[in-house]
Amino acid sequence: MIGYTTLGTNDLPRAAAFYDELFALIGIKRIMDFGRGYAWGTGMDKPGFGVMLPFDGKPASVGNGVMVALVVDSQEKVQALHAKALALGGTDEGAPGPRDEGFYAAYFRDLDGNKLNAFCMG
């Protein structure tokens, strides 16, 4: 159902470097360059993730209650993404651990304050 998500940034080079390193941990690479933003994914026919300077030219802001969830296939990858995000300057929003039966997750914010979650089932 989800084709792609996009988060705003006020510093595109900094955001691109953050996501290049973060997504490299799980084999995700840049698949598009828009000039004012980038997209990452495993292919054009799969869901993607983008970071862009806002189209209206106004500053990007964090949406209250907005979160992008990244599915991975192991608890170790959840832990690695969370640790890498913090090492790159992101902030902790919830350490890796079980949240509900069969749901293992970690929460963090990127350099612009956007909230993300890495999770696996099982």
Side-chain angles (χ1 to χ4, degrees):
M1 184 170 107
I2 301 296
Y4 62 89
T5 60
T6 302
L7 296 176
T9 183
N10 292 304
D11 187 335
L12 187 57
R14 183 178 77 149
F18 178 89
Y19 285 109
D20 282 342
E21 285 197 47
L22 185 69
F23 290 151
L25 284 175
I26 55 173
I28 305 297
K29 297 180 181 178
R30 281 192 208 181
I31 57 173
M32 296 183 82
D33 178 345
F34 304 104
R36 58 183 246 294
Y38 303 102
W40 290 261
T42 59
M44 296 302 290
D45 61 336
K46 305 283 190 267
F49 178 93
V51 173
M52 306 278 263
L53 297 169
F55 183 75
D56 65 6
K58 296 179 183 173
S61 61
V62 177
N64 188 23
V66 174
M67 180 179 70
V68 174
L70 307 169
V71 64
V72 294
D73 60 7
S74 71
Q75 292 181 8
E76 293 76 20
K77 287 182 183 174
V78 169
Q79 295 162 7
L81 281 171
H82 184 263
K84 185 64 157 183
L86 300 186
L88 293 169
T91 57
D92 179 35
E93 284 285 315
R99 296 301 195 275
D100 200 1
E101 188 175 327
F103 185 75
Y104 188 89
Y107 301 84
F108 58 91
R109 291 191 183 266
D110 70 7
L111 303 177
D112 286 289
N114 295 301
K115 188 172 181 179
L116 292 97
N117 155 269
F119 77 97
C120 67
M121 302 302 293

